[in-house]
Each structure stands twice: as C-alpha cells, then as structure tokens.
Amino acid sequence: MNKANILVTGGLGYIGSHTSVELINNSYNVTIIDSLINSEKFILERIEKITGKKIPFYEFDITNYKKTSECFKENNFDFVIHFAALKSVNESVKYPDKYMKNNLDSLKNILKCIESQNLSGIVFSSSCTVYGQPDNLPVNENSPFKKPESPYAETKQICEKLIEKFSDEKRKHGISLRYFNPVGAHNSSLIGELPRGIPDNLIPYITQSAIGKRKKLKVFGKDYNTSDGTPVRDYIHVVDLANAHVQALNRLIEKKSKKFYEFFNVGTGKGHSVLEVIKSFEKVNNIKLPYEIVSRREGDIEKIYSDTNLSRNELNWKAERNLDEMMKSAWKWEKTLKDLGS
Ligand code: NAD
Ligand code: UFG
C-alpha cells in the first residue's frame, strides 16, 4: 500500500538518509533534494540498495527559490521533512552569516512552497540546543529557550518560531523534533555519518582514534559537576531517531495533532558521561581507546538529557537501542569506511 508523497530535504545527509530508509520501509514515497554541500551522491545508491526502491533525486540548493518552486510544481508532495541545514556549531561561530542565510532562507523557501502548492505540513529538524543549559533535568518541552550559545542554535530557535507563526497563520501542520545527540549507523553499514575533515563530535572522534586516523581522543574537561566529572548527554541511535520522523508523519496523516504547531523531544531519557561512552565503546568492541583529559571546550554545557513523556504519549515513540548498540554500530561503520578507503 502506498502512503503519502514525502519530500525529504537534505536526504543524503546523516539523519536524512536513515530516515529515508525508514520512511520507505513504512510504505511512504520519498523524493530527495540535496545540494551535496555536506554529503555524497553514492549515499543515494546505498539507500536504494537497502530499500530496493528507486528514489527520485534533485541536486540543488534550496536557498534558490526558483529551483525549489519548480521542483514542488513538478511533484505532488503531501508533506516535507526538512533536514537540509548546516550543522557545525564551531563553524557557525566563525561564519554566522553563512549559517543564518543557509538555514533560514532554505526554510523560508520551503514554507512559501508549502503554501503555494497547498501541501499539508512540515516536520522540522530541531535540536536540544534550543534549550541551552536548562534549569531542570530531564528537560521537558515546557522549558524556555535560553539565550542561544551559538549562531547554529540561534538558527534552530528562529526556524521553530517561523514554523509556529506559519502554521498558525496558514492553518498548516508543523512538528519540530528536538534531537538530542544522534549517533551510530544503520545495521547494514551501508549508510552512517560521513564527517568531513577533523570531526567536532565525540563518536566520530572516538571511532577515528580507535582506527588510527587520529592519534588520540581529547576528553574536554573532567571538572564538571557530574558523577565522574565529564559532561553528560542523551545519545540516541540514529535509526531510533529516524523512526521518530515516521511517527511524526503518522500523527499528521492520522490527524492526531492537538495544535497546528507541535514540538517534541527526541532522546532516550538517559544521560551518559563522556567516560561512560568511552567505557561502553571499549567493552562492546574489545578495544583500548587512546585518550587523554584536556581542558574544557568553550561553549560546552555541563549536562542535558530529555524528558521523554510527551514523545512517548503523543508521538507513540520511544528509543529502542541502548548505548552499547550505538557504540557497536558506530565502530562497524568506521571499519566499513576503512574498507572503502575513505
Ligand atoms: P548532514 O550535514 O549530514 O545533513 C544535512 C544535509 O543537508 C546534507 O546532505 C547537506 O548536503 C544538505 N544541505 C544543507 N544545506 C542545504 C541546502 N541549502 N540545500 C540543499 N541541501 C542542503 O546533517 P545531519 O546530521 O543529517 O542533520 C540533519 C538535520 O538535523 C540538520 O538540520 C541538523 O541541524 C539537525 N540536527 C543534527 C544533529 C546532529 O548532531 N547530527 C543534532 C540536532 C539537529
Ligand atoms: N567531546 C570530547 N571530545 C571530543 C568531542 C566531544 O570530550 O573530541 C565531548 C564534549 O565536550 C561533550 C560531549 O563529548 O561533552 C558531546 O560532544 P559533541 O560535540 O558530540 O556533541 P554536543 O552535545 O556538543 O553537540 C551535538 C551537536 C550539535 C547538536 C547537539 C544536540 O554537535 O549540533 O549535539 O543535538 F545540536
């Protein structure tokens, strides 16, 4: 049975590729737009290999309104899942204008096209960075937006506000999913995270240190107010995260939304420190990881993990995979990349 037609922007990226697979597994029709600014064309073939489906693909930059609107006119999309954005916190501090332009202009173009082509709604990739360092943990969806700690986080806050206004004014449905820390890879090891250059994030740095691409992992700070002194995050397996998008679409299609604009945390509800992550990686993969403790990284918050009640009760979704499974799949993926020579 065929369900709705879904436009997946940024569908060749890390989370978009895993979500495209899960959408197709759930009988949705997927079309992808990606400019390849942070992804590789071969990922399209990988998604097709996993799913056995040919996927319509457009390569262009969504900040180009003419191309975006032509693509919408050529197709009969019902919903958009909007992943396309630049996502490096560090880079956003160096190039705030580039981040504002890419992340805001792309969303504005998508919203204009949703209105002009009369689509039903949008699911948006937000981030727990909208909360900053929250006052109460676990953080629930009623927590306020704090002053953004980076231009990247600011783009997510602005985008959420734009979607809220758009949804209420145009009577279209919008759901923002606030991801915690997505990690791991598909169990086929055909798709996974493809960091360019030196990774900023913990897991790719761990796997690259384990395989010998990096000398050793630097653990940024051991003087935080946490059980072992290292910062705590809510790591979530990317396939679980992908499935949250399927549930968000199901909610829209089954008309279960309670308001035009809704937002949900997408995490496991469990916080793990950096040293716990290292221990899990070492244990499940039987590897001794080279690492050293260094000083804190500027801009890092101490701890954050999600309250999962709303997503469990309303989205009917919960994470299935634990930290050990995340670490296993991340390592399997890194070894596959080595075999590819990348
Ligand atoms: P990614 O960089 O792997 O994927 C984003 C994709 O969008 C890439 O394929 C890129 O080429 C494409 N893209 C970017 N700008 C574009 C544009 N203007 N036009 C067309 N294509 C464009 O990133 P990801 O990790 O898959 O993240 C997906 C979304 O989730 C982003 O919005 C990101 O901000 C958000 N998010 C990611 C994380 C994380 O830790 N990975 C956490 C929270 C939120
Ligand atoms: N860390 C290290 N060494 C490293 C890299 C990271 O010790 O080489 C530590 C950090 O200090 C932090 C933890 O590992 O305590 C996680 O760091 P990441 O960079 O992997 O993740 P962040 O929580 O800083 O941010 C990530 C993404 C953001 C996203 C956010 C929430 O980079 O884009 O998760 O989803 F918004």
Side-chain angles (χ1 to χ4, degrees):
M1 185 193 68
N2 275 338
K3 285 200 201 160
N5 295 325
I6 314 301
L7 169 62
V8 179
T9 75
L12 297 192
Y14 175 41
I15 306 168
S17 56
H18 289 80
T19 302
S20 296
V21 167
E22 297 309 316
L23 288 171
I24 293 167
N25 287 345
N26 283 276
S27 309
Y28 283 107
N29 300 312
V30 167
T31 298
I32 291 176
I33 305 178
D34 202 303
S35 66
L36 304 183
I37 189 171
N38 197 37
S39 53
E40 304 292 336
K41 183 76 183 291
F42 74 83
I43 294 295
L44 181 65
E45 290 144 37
R46 299 288 184 89
I47 303 171
E48 292 180 338
K49 189 165 177 196
I50 296 170
T51 59
K53 276 263 156 68
K54 191 95 194 111
I55 298 166
F57 173 66
Y58 291 81
E59 182 184 333
F60 65 82
D61 186 324
I62 299 165
T63 60
N64 181 323
Y65 178 69
K66 191 165 170 278
K67 286 190 179 161
T68 308
S69 115
E70 277 164 13
C71 173
F72 272 74
K73 282 180 196 151
E74 271 172 32
N75 289 278
N76 191 18
F77 302 132
D78 298 302
F79 294 93
V80 181
I81 306 188
H82 184 48
F83 292 102
L86 296 172
K87 66 160 176 178
S88 161
V89 171
N90 274 347
E91 196 193 35
S92 79
V93 174
K94 276 192 220 137
Y95 307 108
D97 294 347
K98 178 177 162 190
Y99 270 65
M100 287 295 162
K101 182 170 170 23
N102 189 70
N103 294 2
L104 301 190
D105 288 1
S106 59
L107 175 68
K108 286 177 189 164
N109 286 345
I110 292 293
L111 294 179
K112 261 203 238 170
C113 292
I114 287 178
E115 186 184 4
S116 63
Q117 297 302 309
N118 200 20
L119 273 70
S120 304
I122 180 169
V123 176
F124 175 66
S125 295
S126 189
S127 161
C128 67
T129 51
V130 297
Y131 297 121
Q133 174 64 68
D135 295 329
N136 299 307
L137 289 173
V139 58
N140 70 33
E141 287 82 350
N142 295 324
S143 307
F145 284 3
K146 289 274 189 73
K147 183 176 173 300
E149 307 209 355
S150 67
Y152 168 76
E154 193 176 359
T155 68
K156 292 297 175 195
Q157 292 185 345
I158 299 172
C159 284
E160 280 208 31
K161 287 178 192 154
L162 284 173
I163 298 170
E164 179 171 23
K165 187 166 181 285
F166 173 84
S167 308
D168 288 343
E169 282 179 10
K170 311 291 177 196
R171 306 179 74 75
K172 299 277 180 198
H173 285 102
I175 292 183
S176 288
L177 298 179
R178 294 177 180 164
Y179 314 157
F180 282 66
N181 286 50
V183 300
H186 194 259
N187 65 10
S188 63
S189 284
L190 285 168
I191 54 173
E193 194 170 3
L194 283 174
R196 287 188 170 158
I198 301 172
D200 281 339
N201 298 121
L202 180 61
I203 309 309
Y205 213 106
I206 288 179
T207 55
Q208 291 195 5
S209 303
I211 211 142
K213 269 191 207 164
R214 312 275 153 220
K215 216 164 129 224
K216 57 170 94 153
L217 170 75
K218 293 183 185 69
V219 174
F220 297 131
K222 200 176 177 299
D223 56 352
Y224 287 94
N225 183 23
T226 59
S227 59
D228 59 24
T230 62
V232 167
R233 299 285 184 276
D234 183 342
Y235 297 94
I236 171 159
H237 197 296
V238 66
V239 174
D240 281 332
L241 174 57
N243 279 311
H245 296 80
V246 176
Q247 287 305 95
L249 270 183
N250 291 347
R251 181 175 178 82
L252 295 179
I253 287 169
E254 290 160 15
K255 302 199 184 310
K256 288 190 174 153
S257 303
K258 293 189 170 150
K259 288 187 281 186
F260 281 109
Y261 178 62
E262 297 183 312
F263 43 92
F264 299 97
N265 285 345
V266 187
T268 63
K270 291 193 185 71
H272 291 288
S273 72
V274 176
L275 291 181
E276 281 169 3
V277 172
I278 294 173
K279 272 191 205 120
S280 163
F281 180 83
E282 292 188 322
K283 180 189 74 184
V284 296
N285 298 312
N286 199 17
I287 286 172
K288 187 91 198 89
L289 185 77
Y291 73 88
E292 62 180 335
I293 310 284
V294 301
S295 50
R296 288 181 178 204
R297 178 171 73 176
E298 208 185 317
D300 270 347
I301 58 167
E302 187 163 87
K303 50 184 158 192
I304 187 163
Y305 51 96
S306 63
D307 183 321
T308 56
N309 281 310
L310 194 67
S311 48
R312 192 158 358 99
N313 296 336
E314 291 294 327
L315 271 190
N316 198 17
W317 171 90
K318 74 174 172 45
E320 306 283 346
R321 294 158 182 83
N322 64 23
L323 185 64
D324 287 351
E325 288 165 283
M326 300 178 211
M327 293 305 113
K328 250 192 224 166
S329 73
W331 179 231
K332 200 169 146 203
W333 168 243
E334 185 64 64
K335 286 189 290 184
T336 317
L337 286 178
K338 190 181 181 200
D339 295 341
L340 269 177
S342 26

